Amino acid sequence: MHVGAVTTGGSAGHIACPRRFVLRRAVDVTGVSGTGDVAEGIEWSDGTVALRWRGKWATTVVWDYGLDALLAVHGHNGSTVVRWLDADRPV
């Protein structure tokens, strides 16, 4: 669902071009990644997502099943949202 420049899940399927985002976390449920912008990502035109975690234990992960899969694991029941950096690009 898209709400302005923030979404809580749901990729639009195919998009016109890749678009950048950050994962913004209000509550650090696990005590590992902190709060604020905790990861940077790109949603590719086919819906695949590449994500780079910030911080001491930085790692890069590819989510073949897109934002729905990513947020199912890391969304923590709405504590983490996607903030689009390229909100001007068409969906």
Side-chain angles (χ1 to χ4, degrees), residues 6-86:
V6 176
T7 184
T8 55
S11 175
H14 292 297
I15 57 174
C17 58
R19 55 187 181 158
R20 303 171 305 139
F21 65 88
V22 292
L23 282 188
R24 183 163 290 165
R25 190 162 277 169
V27 177
D28 184 6
V29 175
T30 64
V32 175
S33 56
T35 59
D37 294 343
V38 295
E40 305 162 353
I42 296 189
E43 181 183 37
W44 299 103
S45 61
D46 67 356
T48 301
V49 169
L51 187 74
R52 176 72 179 172
W53 289 96
R54 294 178 174 178
K56 182 177 180 179
W57 309 111
T59 188
T60 303
V61 182
V62 175
W63 293 87
D64 292 326
Y65 295 101
L67 286 174
D68 288 337
L70 184 155
L71 290 172
V73 174
H74 296 294
H76 300 295
N77 296 315
S79 294
T80 304
V81 296
V82 173
R83 180 179 173 272
W84 295 106
L85 302 176
D86 300 317

